[in-house]
Amino acid sequence: MDKKSLHKFKESIINDYPRMGRHDKFQFGCHPGVLCFNKCCNDVNIFLTPYDVIRLKNRLGITSGQFIEKYTILPIEENLKHPVVMLQMNEKTLNCPFVDENGCTVYEDRPWSCRMFPVGVASPKEIQDKEASDEEFYFLLREDVCHGFEEKGEWTVDQWIKDQKAEEFNEMGELFKEISLHDFFTKGKGIQPVKLEMFFMVCYDIDKFKSFVFDSTFLKRFEIKKERVERMREDDAELLKFGFDWLRFALFGEKTLKLSDRYNKPA
Ligand code: SF4
Ligand code: SF4
């Protein structure tokens, strides 16, 4: 699907797809015995969240920079208000780089959208449909290739999220949306290149952000509790949460961080 079709697809989801809530039910089953096993891991558009990148690069034991370089593409599209990264399919076979004959080789750390499939989440705000309500909703993705809907198994959306261990991904996703769906982006304001770089570093290159934070005077500028600093040093997800706070502070002027006295005083 090219980028224009992708935007149209998003519009059709908002306008035409049956909307589901967390307690709505659907029938679905996916296991190695299905005829379509692995078929969904070919020629597919997978947008990676910042937390997906962390999980995958740690799983592979490489840096975020190496991961971005080797496994992703950065689509350029006029409708995009901020950078996004997508998983790069194999050029010849169009297979996902992580699929083999036994299935997903990064299963425990697979991206959010693979985890949630066939459930999708739509944010009307994302495509600036002013007629649509801003409320997010769930919907079912019925791909021709997928026979999972013919299998046994009844789920509510909530049960599916739990079964697929998607809760942590959703929590991190909510924090990311505070930035990616902020009016600053959705109401069409441009973003200066230097801020674009900040956004990209925090969201997709966490190891670069780590050295930016810990190998400079950065931490002296803000009042941050020692315990939080230690958690950020040990855990990329904690560092990402801090990065989100910093982006909200630096991009939108929100009071998510407090400047230390030294930097708060007028010169
Ligand atoms: S990450 Fe795993 S589940 Fe997702 S497309 Fe690739 S192989 Fe399939
Ligand atoms: S049932 Fe659907 S999700 Fe499962 S392997 Fe087949 S195509 Fe993929």
Side-chain angles (χ1 to χ4, degrees), residues 148-159:
F149 292 100
E150 296 148 29
E151 296 290 312
K152 281 190 191 139
E154 192 179 59
W155 310 89
T156 63
V157 171
D158 256 352
Q159 286 167 336

Side-chain angles (χ1 to χ4, degrees), residues 28-31 34 36-40 117 145-148:
F28 192 79
C30 176
H31 51 85
V34 287
C36 50
F37 188 57
N38 278 352
K39 293 272 192 301
C40 49
F117 185 83
V145 82
C146 179
H147 294 280

